[in-house]
Amino acid sequence: MKNKFLLIGIALASLTACKTASTPQIVNVRTQKNISINNELKNDEEFVKFIEPYKQKLDKEMNQKISHTSVDLTKQGDNSNLGNLLADYTFEGGDQWIKTHLKQNVDAALINIGGIRTTIGKGDIMLKNVFEVMPFENELIIVKMKGTDLPALFDYYAKKEVNNPVSHLYIETKNGQLSKSLINGKTIDPNKDYYIATSDYLALGGDDMKFFSKGESIPTGVKLRDLYIEIFKKNPEIVPPTDVRLNFIGKK
């Protein structure tokens, strides 16, 4: 009999718990004060003290010199020196990867100017500068495209006349119409497969680059920022390219 009452008690408790869980009740509502995040907000001294050793270690690492430039590296203009430099680094990294893994060669590279978040002033280039320029975790992707699909890439630039940096490409327009298009200094061979190094963001159609959807995306597992850091470290003095790659004649 005692066990019977015990079982009944457990059953009632379970039913009550289920009912309570399925029907939440508001017991009390209190209006809270909004706290504005500004310079007047005082630091939590205990928290600051706790993170200080980690901050010092991070600052030391981020402030290490990895290269040097005698000129400002900017992203202004249709052929910005920083944009073209990073496009060349994208080409270099993609070409090295594909030679190792697929015994092929990269034909060209392109990145988006919006992915370059800031500039680098002349002087020592610190590790933190590259993180500021490229704060995203974008991956280096190689897109295999048929020669017959490649004109869509050039048409994109003719239509947009946007300064998205390129490497080993020459695109010329006159009054919004494509007048000259070269890849590695040559016209497109419709019977050839081309390998274009870019970012995962663009390979997926970012910045309206829908032409990449016609190709085959090959992931490399290489982060673009890591690639850029590696190449900066290999070059103690940066000499940015000055050649014209995007030539929008009569651009409005």
Side-chain angles (χ1 to χ4, degrees), residues 14-250:
S14 299
L15 289 172
T16 304
C18 292
K19 183 177 180 182
T20 303
S22 60
T23 312
Q25 309 237 347
I26 299 175
V27 178
N28 188 18
V29 176
R30 289 185 297 173
T31 302
Q32 301 294 327
K33 179 182 178 182
N34 289 329
I35 300 176
S36 178
I37 307 297
N38 54 42
N39 293 332
E40 297 178 0
L41 190 64
K42 294 182 179 180
N43 290 327
D44 185 326
E45 296 301 329
E46 187 175 339
F47 179 72
V48 170
K49 185 178 179 180
F50 175 78
I51 67 170
E52 184 60 28
Y54 304 99
K55 182 178 181 298
Q56 289 181 0
K57 182 179 179 181
L58 182 63
D59 287 345
K60 183 178 180 181
E61 183 176 355
M62 285 295 160
N63 286 313
Q64 64 172 297
K65 175 184 173 182
I66 60 173
S67 191
H68 182 273
T69 175
S70 297
V71 298
D72 292 331
L73 301 177
T74 73
K75 50 184 285 188
Q76 278 71 46
D78 290 332
N79 293 275
S80 65
N81 58 3
L82 180 57
N84 284 357
L85 181 73
L86 297 183
D88 285 348
Y89 286 0
T90 303
F91 178 94
E92 182 179 336
D95 194 51
Q96 182 179 5
W97 188 92
I98 202 171
K99 281 178 177 175
T100 302
H101 295 85
L102 298 178
K103 310 301 179 186
Q104 296 287 344
N105 297 301
V106 161
D107 296 286
L110 67 90
I111 56 178
N112 62 316
I113 198 69
I116 303 173
R117 304 307 290 181
T118 188
T119 59
I120 299 177
K122 63 182 178 180
D124 291 340
I125 300 174
M126 308 298 182
L127 181 62
K128 67 179 180 182
N129 295 136
V130 186
F131 274 82
E132 290 166 352
V133 165
M134 182 65 62
F136 310 112
E137 297 294 319
N138 289 124
E139 180 184 350
L140 171 66
I141 297 291
I142 298 170
V143 183
K144 179 181 178 182
M145 298 186 70
K146 295 179 180 178
T148 51
D149 293 329
L150 203 56
L153 184 156
F154 294 108
D155 290 339
Y156 167 87
Y157 276 89
K159 179 182 178 181
K160 302 281 187 180
E161 291 191 330
V162 64
N163 61 334
N164 286 329
V166 299
S167 179
H168 291 70
L169 288 170
Y170 177 76
I171 304 169
E172 180 183 287
T173 65
K174 290 183 180 179
N175 301 316
Q177 299 297 315
L178 186 67
S179 55
K180 194 172 185 179
S181 57
L182 301 174
I183 181 166
N184 268 324
K186 300 178 181 179
T187 56
I188 300 170
D189 181 351
N191 299 312
K192 180 182 175 180
D193 288 332
Y194 290 90
Y195 294 87
I196 314 296
T198 188
S199 69
D200 53 350
Y201 170 70
L202 298 181
L204 290 170
D207 272 16
D208 205 28
M209 294 193 184
K210 298 175 183 178
F211 53 84
F212 275 134
S213 64
K214 297 181 179 180
E216 174 192 350
S217 290
I218 304 169
T220 66
V222 177
K223 298 296 182 184
L224 281 174
R225 184 178 57 228
D226 294 342
L227 171 64
Y228 298 159
I229 291 170
E230 179 184 344
I231 300 178
F232 271 120
K233 286 181 176 179
K234 288 180 181 177
N235 296 275
E237 184 65 33
I238 300 301
V239 181
T242 57
D243 57 315
V244 174
R245 305 172 183 189
L246 302 175
N247 190 10
F248 303 131
I249 302 171

